[in-house]
Amino acid sequence: MDKLVIIDGNSLINRAFYALPLLSNSKGEFSNGVYGFANILIKAILEIKPKYLAVALDYGKKTFRNKMFSGYKAKRKPTPNELISQFPILKEMLNAMNITYIEKEGYEADDIIGTLTKKFDTENIIITGDRDALQLISSNTTVWLTKRGITETKVMDEVALKIEYGLEPYQIIELKSLMGDSSDNIPGVGGIGEKTALNLLSNYTSLQGVYDNIEAIKGKVQEKLLQDKDSAFLSKELATINCNVPITNSLQDFEYSFPFSKQVFDFFKNYEFNSLIKKADLFEELFVEDNNSLLKYTANRIELIDVEELKQQIKYINAAKAFNFELNNEIFSFAYDKNCEFYCKVQPNLLDNTLDIVEVLNLLKPVFEDENIKKNLYDIKASKHILSTFNISLNGAEFDAILAYYLLCAGERDATRGSLNALYGLDEKLFGVNLFYLQEFLTEGLKQNNLIDLYNNIEFPLINVLYEMENEGFKIDVDILNDLSNRYSQEVEELSQSIKRIAGFDFNLNSPKQLGEVLFDKLGLACYNNKKKSTSMEHLQDIYDLHPIVPAIIRYRKIQKIYTTYIEAYKNIVKVKDSDVIHTVFNQTLTSTGRLSSSEPNLQNLPIRDDEGKTLRKMFVSRYKDGALVSADYSQIELRLLAHMSEDETLIDAFNNNLDIHSLTASEVFGVDISLVTPEMRRTAKAVNFGIIYGISQYGLSQNINTSVQQAQKYIQAYFNRYPKIKDYMNSNVENAKSSGYAYSIFNRRRKINELFVPKTRMFGERIAMNMPLQGSASDIIKLAMINVSKALKEQGLKSKLIMQVHDELIIDAPQEEITTVAKILKDNMQNVVKLSVPLTVDVNSGKSWFDC
């Protein structure tokens, strides 16, 4: 039989929308759902090669099922506007592809799919993420269930269904009639779950069979079945797909055109689906030439299969004075001009020619280390680390493509090689050749967007600083680590036993379901704000005083997190690396604000708001016998930047006269002399000061300071009445971002704010627009300070090393004789890194451990 692929349009575009980042083209049109849908569709066409293809769509929210049961799908969250806007785009794409889509008023996509499977004598393949479709499986109908991501599927036929569920296709309906379906708000029988429902069907085959044998079913299950009999049979009707939708299409209506026409090519181009445009096999021959124009930056690709060939190429590299390269686990690839890419396989494989990676790199060592041979790379820092494991230094690196791309696309998309090559239509296999073009394209982009100074003066010089910090690492006192491990593991065990004694029986403390049963069923605790059986920390705090078990659970979770997330993780690193020095990775191209992040492990997220979290810092110590960690932290840098950037005279004068800014704000907001400000007033003013930076709402502030929304609004209004220039500044940030699409730091770092143009996320976008100039400027300043501090340490020939940056703090590991000098270097370079209308003040401390700082 001819194959008919039937796609559940709503299911697939929803899955793609939530699986992929929120993408938009240069016009601001969101399209991630359509892009993901296109990838699934193309995968189906290439793998199944169907003669016919149909897409079923929901017409609207109200169907015949809502007339049967008003609560049908009533609990579903509203569809986001940024997804709603993509349905017309999806239809535009399907029309361009000559693919028929069907939507019928009063029916769901499921009903259309079911009808199509019965209407034609075809081999049917349904592609959906909805398990309801499993009831449609038959001798000529299979279901491809989408799983993780957007392209992984699981094929379900009669055999697979029987193996996985022990059911026949029609029993999917019977199953839902018993257990219900929370996603569709189908009630089923109250208290009957999947396990019980499957047991009932195993014994009695169908819903009718269950009720025909109701006397044989004992206990509470019988009670539940009798009580909800009407609900069960209603649920069966709701769950049954209608296979008699009035569809007039003939089979020939579902023929489609593939390879695609120029209309599809133009559609992909308009919505910037660059990875699809690159695939010439998707389009008719007439358009292959047009398609290849996007891949015009191509070159020959030649494999080197012996070292003599490599030696010959090294002569040309030395003559060209250029060498772009990429090294991964399998292939070493390089180019010294735009004409040809050379590569050799370095991963042993019996079927391939391979070269020894050590021999290859040793031959190239003089090239890597020659400062006069210029190199463009995707990630300089990572390459330096790889080469260092072979005792090779990397010199002459002059351009980092991912770093430049990151500055251009922050807030818009992740800076990855794949998206970068797709953006410029580059062949992803030509690593070295591509880098010649990327240097040109990205440098021009940086210049056009006034980002070249930020790249040249801050981001690029920072690469070596971060590389050296990662190499240096942070020493851990293993004895303290082991002491903390023993202490917290013992407390975790004691808390666990105590909680189980209070509960009166053993249960899995880490199971939210079992914990909920203990708290709300066995102990009968009330649920706060209708958070039924919620065991989140937020809800536990709400019911803190209701029972002694709750504080114990909160403490258990806190200590267990410290023990597993930090202590055990560090112990494992120490064991695996056989070293008492932990080396984190500083990520330079991840955050949208320019802030550095830390990973493997993350040393920037140690909890510091409570004693237990602060205690973790005791294990981080100086590597010198009598040395110290010297820490320098900017004081209120974002508030100082707010004063400078808003040009508010009151705030500027306060910082210039070294006044307590929180007490001053309290005196202004509460209308009292600064000498009469109480600690409580100051705490409230501090929350207002920092809340204003982040565009906090009156509700958010009320939660932070535990007051009414009305009172919080009065505080915010009083603040802006006293500091009107700050309000004007915040408003102008939002208006400028709406006009340009970007927010900017004082060093011209920019962040794309797509959230401003979507109704659902507009308020969030406004908060980003208010805060990003401050946070981005703070990140620029600390990075510039890191560069200057590192340079000063080297110029003075000191042994001390910069080892850590976290938020607005820098840490140097210093021998005893250099502590005073290092403290001065930190203070001088951090305070004088940039000239503002207010001073940048720095708090410097030192101690044997991070805790002591």
Side-chain angles (χ1 to χ4, degrees), residues 381 384-385 403 458-473 584-589 594-597 604 782-783 786-787 790 794 802-805 810:
K381 180 159 67 71
K384 287 171 73 73
H385 279 302
L403 185 59
I458 297 181
E459 294 292 355
F460 192 80
L462 189 65
I463 294 173
N464 276 337
V465 175
L466 297 178
Y467 171 73
E468 291 168 358
M469 290 170 66
E470 291 173 359
N471 269 350
E472 196 68 20
T584 188
V585 174
F586 292 102
N587 304 302
Q588 195 176 354
T589 60
R595 289 281 191 184
L596 295 172
S597 66
Q604 292 184 334
I782 194 76
K783 286 179 175 178
M786 292 169 71
I787 295 166
S790 179
K794 292 176 182 176
L802 182 62
I803 61 169
M804 189 63 200
Q805 183 271 335
L810 298 182

Side-chain angles (χ1 to χ4, degrees), residues 571-711:
K571 283 182 68 177
N572 186 57
I573 291 172
V574 168
K575 180 180 179 180
V576 171
K577 300 290 185 181
D578 192 24
S579 170
D580 60 357
V581 177
I582 286 185
H583 301 269
T584 188
V585 174
F586 292 102
N587 304 302
Q588 195 176 354
T589 60
L590 285 187
T591 70
S592 56
T593 61
R595 289 281 191 184
L596 295 172
S597 66
S598 164
S599 59
E600 305 175 46
N602 186 347
L603 296 184
Q604 292 184 334
N605 74 337
L606 294 180
I608 58 173
R609 294 187 178 182
D610 50 50
D611 291 339
E612 289 79 10
K614 291 177 182 177
T615 300
L616 292 174
R617 293 192 170 199
K618 289 183 178 180
M619 72 177 83
F620 293 91
V621 297
S622 170
R623 70 191 64 208
Y624 299 104
K625 182 179 179 182
D626 297 314
L629 299 177
V630 185
S631 166
D633 195 358
Y634 278 117
S635 173
Q636 301 171 338
I637 186 171
E638 290 188 12
L639 282 174
R640 293 172 187 272
L641 283 166
L642 178 61
H644 171 78
M645 297 168 79
S646 69
E647 300 180 352
D648 187 272
E649 293 86 354
T650 305
L651 214 52
I652 291 172
D653 289 344
F655 281 122
N656 283 332
N657 290 297
N658 201 29
L659 297 179
D660 179 347
I661 194 67
H662 300 312
S663 293
L664 175 66
T665 298
S667 71
E668 301 287 359
V669 169
F670 290 101
V672 299
D673 187 81
I674 195 168
S675 62
L676 300 177
V677 170
T678 65
E680 184 179 353
M681 289 177 177
R682 187 182 183 279
R683 281 193 296 272
T684 299
K686 183 177 180 179
V688 174
N689 274 329
F690 287 114
I692 293 299
I693 289 175
Y694 291 94
I696 199 168
S697 66
Q698 55 264 39
Y699 175 77
L701 180 60
S702 71
Q703 295 295 104
N704 288 352
I705 62 177
N706 195 28
T707 190
S708 68
V709 173
Q710 292 77 11
Q711 186 60 56

